[in-house]
Amino acid sequence: MAPTAEEYFPRGKAKSTQKATSTTTDNKKIDKDEKLFVNIFSEKDGKIIKKKKKSVGKKKVSEKPVLAIKYVPSLNYSQLKEGMVMGAVVSEVSDYNIKVSLPCHLTASLSIANISSIFTDFLRKSTEDIKSEDEDLSDVPSLDQLFKVGQFLVVAISSIKQENNKYEVSVSTDPKLLMATRIPDVGDLCMASVISKEDHGYIMDIGSKTIRGFLPNKAAEKHWTKTICTGSVILCVITKKDGGAVTLKCEPGKVYNNLKSEVNLHNVLPGTVFNAKINTVLDNGLKVQFGKDLSGYVHKDLLPKSLSDYDIDAQINVRLVHVIPTMNTVLLSARDIWPFTNQFSDVKAGSLFENATIAEVNKNDLILTLTNSLRGYVSARHAQTDHNATQPLKERYKIGSTVRARALGLDHFSGQVVCTLHKDKVQGVTKIDHLKIGEKVKAEVKQFKPEGLEVKVGAVTGFIPTLYLSDVPLKHPEKKFLPGDKIDCKVIKVNPERKRLHLTSKPYMVKNEFSIISSIDEAEEGVITEGVVAKISKAGLLINLMGEARGWAPASELSTEPVEFPEKIFWIGQSVKCRVKAVNPEKNSITLSLVINGANTKPSGKKGSLLKLGNFYKAQILKVTTKGLDVEVNENGVSIGCRIPVYHLSDNLSLASNILECYKEGDDIEALCFVHEVIPILTLKPSICQAAKSSNCVHSWESISVGSILPAVVKSTAKIGIFMNLPIWESVRCFVPIRHVSNFYVDSIQDIIEEGQTLMVKVLEKSESGKKEILGTTNVEEVNVNSSDSTVEMVQNLLGDFHFLRSHSSGKLAKLTIGDKITAKVKELTDMGAILEAGGLMALAPASNLGSEKPVPGNKISVIVLFIDYQMGVLEVSCDQSFVKKHTETKDETLEVDMSVKGDIILSRTQHNLQIVSVTEPTKFAGCLVYISDIGHMNDFLGDTDMDASEKSIDVQIKALTEKGEVIGVNKANVKDNNKKRSRTTSKSEGERKEKRRRTDSITSNADSKKENLPDIKQPKSLLKLFGQETKPDNKASVKVKTEPKKKKDRAVVVPEVTDTKMEVEEATVKPEEAMPDNVEKISDPGWDFSLTGVTLPAWGKVSIWGDEEESDLDEDSDKNDKEKKHISKKEAKRLRREEEKAAEMQEDKIIQGANAPPQTEQEFEKLVASSPNSSLVWIQFMAHYLQSCQYDQARAVAKRAVDRINFREENERLNIYLAWLNLENAYGTQESLDTVLRDAVQRNDEYKVYSQMADIFNKSSKFLEAEKIYKTLAKKFCKVKEVWIRYGLFYFTNSRMEEGRFVFTRALQNLEAREAADISAKFAQIEFKYGDTERGKTMYEKLVSSYPRRVDIWSSYADQLTRIGDVTATRALYTRISTLGLQAKKMKPLFAKWLEFETSYGTDEQQGEVRSAALKYLNSKTSEEPTDAQS
């Protein structure tokens, strides 16, 4: 502020001029007076720039004030006093504290208890659970909901603590401190705290005892945060003043840009905006004039542009920051504070800048350029690389030079990073809290001590205990670790409070990555980690983990074999890999095991043996995990930990995961003790529990006999069979060989059986030796004694699971049951069905259940619930009004057991093996629902394969009625002809084996049988199919077949020729005796699938026998003559020489005529591969040369030579050879030879590429089982690759195995990362549209667009699929929805263009006009928003 304004400077008034000559005494007097104002003008140098005196007789100069100012005043910690009010910016938000940046690079902290007195009282009540009638203490917001980094605040200094030249400043936002001496008027800013929430708004405390504020609800809705609770502090503007009440508004755009024309420094708050005029441009900022003769200062750090861009007398908007009361100096800022920004998102305290450029060098600080948009501030103290350095900054640093700097803090007020250049700060780690357990660091050895090694990590001192020095014990560690040595270490323990850092230099622990367990909270059963042996006893080992965690490994868990003397095997300090076996948080103990494999093979502990097998126990759920329930059983005062795996919750594995979600911690359940493993395993499976209660089922070893049938649970599967757990309350081992698993051939057990599945087992053999072993069978023909009873039991258990899910559901799902009549509103109608809304629930009605009169969108109709998906919250209903009427009329009618009825299948759920039948005859019971199973037995792995998909009407026999009135029946066709489908399946598999055997025999048969086994020459597709490729109509390939009169000794040879993208197959007539050697059987050219090798053939690349037959015969004759005549005459020699010259001339002519002439003989191929040994094309042509004459062994030899000869760097070329070789073995080799080549190909190539191409080869050659195996291998090895799951699912869908394909989709969601869920879901939705159920595809897309409404690609793909299936109405409705999204113009433009293109093809001119109207409406809405945004 100008020193000439007397009203602001009551003391120290100085004269403006002095004409007399100054004396020494006068100068001293002036210096003494001016020292009072030294802080006002220059804190940098402390000097006063005085006005020059006029000498008598000299030329007059312009008069300047005596107290001329060169620098903007600054603020430091020593000048802060309690009660000062200033602006601040939030820099960090934690749970209980907020760090704020103050002006001039100062910092302070705002405690949760200093926000406001009302908020503090609110916290106290919520903590002490003191609640009044009108208060809701349920939700106390966290600080990150109330404050945001970059937010401008007005704070008051509440306390200042100084210790060792370090200041700790605390601030408060309580309106009572901020507004205590201020009387705000209309248009003024004020800090207000919420007192209470009323009907029309909030009662606010503005720091006055006589005036209260009111914030209307409409104004509160415009605040930047929606979390406004009791005690929240909000910066507001007073809009109306009425006696003892003021009306407030808090819209950020208006509050933070509130411009005041009349200035009263006693009332205005920091943050108020003034219009000012630039008075002077100073060295480090601006001096401006505002209000009525008021002056203020703007530091260059608080200017939005460079200082050189401002001119004197220019207008500028400035914001009040602080008024220094002792000097009445006003500090201002010109930076924008709304919207809140965090320009340090990529920088944090401790960040190192390797090449920071010096932008400015001032006397007391440096300004650095850290990045293109980020500046750094270095004070004079931190600019010295050494603490003792005193060299001036301008002599030490030059503008443009680079330095290494480390960030000490982030100044959000000025937008600069506070940095240091100290060497000890820049090099390495600066603070111990920058390190975390498990982090690898580089340490420097300081000194060796008896307890361990003292090291230095950057600026932090660490310690390596003796146990953690090396993998092997060291007699003289001081000789290995010398002072100054650099060693690799890993952090094992960090304690910032006690400033302790422990490391390990064990190479085994430093180099290997393992799971970190630093506390008992991080320990989970089954996790494998690393530890160090700390103590050895006969009872076991004490193992130190990371941090403060320790674990105990009992002697029984040290090895699979008994260990009598652990001290002879282990040593103190040994690194060991261990597995967490058990965790007891109450006792703070971790049990470890050194037996990594075979975790489930150990017997149960001593406590577990207290539970008797076959008994029911009451258990309490301790923890619910994805694997099952961890429960606790209290038996005789002993708490025993048990487990109920997820597959033991139900016999229906498809519902097990849904049932698991119904349980909660603390629930009490009753379960059966089924088996003793590591811990007792309990079960809730109805079939096992019923067998345990039944007296007809055997439960002991003695009562078991051959032929006994009892339920069992699959324990594990292997290639040779399955291992089962039986409800026999002794240690009995049951095994079912693969030949006894089913009544049809089983190649892979995992394809039809999974762990935890319930099956019936029939005892075939019982071991009479000491071991209790049973050999059993699960063949449905062996165990299916009474199929109808088994079917009824399965349906009863399934319905019981449905009742359980309903009882644990919430809302309307808990009130609905199958068969209920409800009212639903039709939302959309498509060719595949209808989408309805029933009381907030989505309902789907397939086209088959719409009835003769299709519902009209918008109407409300009565529907019958057919199925409830409790997981997705979706209903499947029937809209058939005739059925609805019949079902309603016969609702009270009751079917009787053993009654025979006829009905239509109206619902099928193959994953649950459930069908629902609507009775049609007798008419008395028409509309009644009957539940049946689509399989005849739980061991039936195929289902009813004979039933036609279009066959809906079936005969049903009623078998049982449940307590809730559900009717259970069986399909009569299954009962009468239960084994018919088995024989058909068996014969089909046998037929496939015969076909394969016939095809193999055709290759090895003699010439007499060739006509019967060879593919038809007139159908080139069959030839191509031998190698996995079949020409399809849409491929760019044409086949030419030249027909000629058939001769007795002539045969047709099909010659495929690949030229660019077109394939021509021509027919030539060749004499068999000229085309092939005599010892090779004469069959037609098998063709060659070059598409699977990745090779494109040139024009000459015909897969045939190349060359001149006459030359071949000549060569053969010459060879024979050479053998027969070792001594020839001169005449004969002359003739031979003449023939050789002739042959040479012919060869020269060939070369002259065309350089690309194809090789014709084996010798030419040898020359070609010698000249181009790394070309896969040449080698494959060589293989085709031998394949033309069916010399398969020679073709294999060429392939083997090729993979050995091609340079190892040519990965793609080598891969092409292997793919061609695999193609060869697949068509003409054995399974053993194919497996050998595949194994070698996987080892020497990219595994993913090999398996992917192998799956395509199998699929194209119709070997679907082999292809499925490969896809399963891909899914296991590359479960994180999205394309694997897409190809896997597409394989199932294209082969009409929809359920397996949908299961692949579920597995894909479980394995892929969350960010890929949308893409994989969209892809499978497209697959559903093309190959599966379009209605399901629509449902998937609906969920996607509701979850990702801004994904334009998903909307576009959805529209494309609807257009493709010809659903014009649904497509048009979808485009209408898209037009209301309100996305950015660049996203909406292509969507509108696509809609217009659609209407051009399928709509009318009127509908095209609707598209244009929708686009115009969108543009108008966007245009109308712009002025509002500009105004705000």
Side-chain angles (χ1 to χ4, degrees), residues 182-237:
R182 290 174 170 79
I183 304 175
D185 203 349
V186 175
D188 286 345
L189 292 180
C190 69
M191 209 70 171
S193 176
V194 179
I195 298 176
S196 63
K197 171 72 168 69
E198 305 300 334
D199 292 340
H200 301 286
Y202 298 84
I203 305 298
M204 311 293 288
D205 175 19
I206 63 171
S208 174
K209 294 182 179 180
T210 58
I211 301 176
R212 288 289 176 92
F214 179 76
L215 180 65
N217 286 330
K218 187 175 293 185
E221 291 175 358
K222 297 181 180 180
H223 192 250
W224 66 270
T225 178
K226 304 303 179 185
T227 306
I228 299 179
C229 72
T230 303
S232 297
V233 177
I234 303 174
L235 188 61
C236 304
V237 174

Side-chain angles (χ1 to χ4, degrees), residues 411-463:
D411 185 6
H412 286 260
F413 201 98
S414 64
Q416 294 178 338
V417 181
V418 180
C419 302
T420 181
L421 304 183
H422 284 169
K423 285 184 178 180
D424 56 350
K425 300 287 186 182
V426 171
Q427 296 176 354
V429 182
T430 57
K431 294 183 179 180
I432 192 172
D433 52 6
H434 291 168
L435 297 171
K436 60 181 181 180
I437 295 177
E439 183 178 353
K440 294 181 181 180
V441 295
K442 200 83 172 180
E444 180 182 354
V445 178
K446 289 183 65 176
Q447 60 176 332
F448 180 81
K449 296 182 178 181
E451 300 81 16
L453 196 65
E454 187 177 337
V455 297
K456 197 171 185 65
V457 181
V460 179
T461 300
F463 186 73

Side-chain angles (χ1 to χ4, degrees), residues 157-171:
I157 307 296
S158 59
S159 67
I160 304 172
K161 296 180 181 179
Q162 181 182 2
E163 184 177 357
N164 298 331
N165 293 328
K166 292 185 178 181
Y167 289 85
E168 184 178 341
V169 181
S170 297
V171 296

Side-chain angles (χ1 to χ4, degrees), residues 588-651:
N588 197 27
S589 64
I590 303 174
T591 303
L592 303 174
S593 173
L594 303 190
V595 181
I596 305 301
N597 298 323
N600 294 329
T601 59
K602 291 288 178 183
S604 60
K606 295 181 180 179
K607 286 186 179 180
S609 60
L610 296 177
L611 300 183
K612 294 182 180 180
L613 296 176
N615 286 2
F616 287 88
Y617 293 95
K618 290 185 178 180
Q620 186 179 35
I621 299 176
L622 300 178
K623 188 177 182 182
V624 181
T625 66
T626 55
K627 295 181 179 180
L629 303 176
D630 293 341
V631 300
E632 184 181 63
V633 175
N634 196 321
E635 182 68 11
N636 298 328
V638 179
S639 297
I640 304 170
C642 307
R643 173 170 292 178
I644 305 178
V646 62
Y647 50 77
H648 269 287
L649 297 176
S650 172
D651 286 324

Side-chain angles (χ1 to χ4, degrees), residues 492-507:
I492 60 174
K493 189 183 299 184
V494 179
N495 191 339
E497 297 178 356
R498 302 181 64 182
K499 296 183 179 180
R500 288 190 177 182
L501 172 65
H502 283 193
L503 310 163
T504 177
S505 59
K506 285 177 172 288

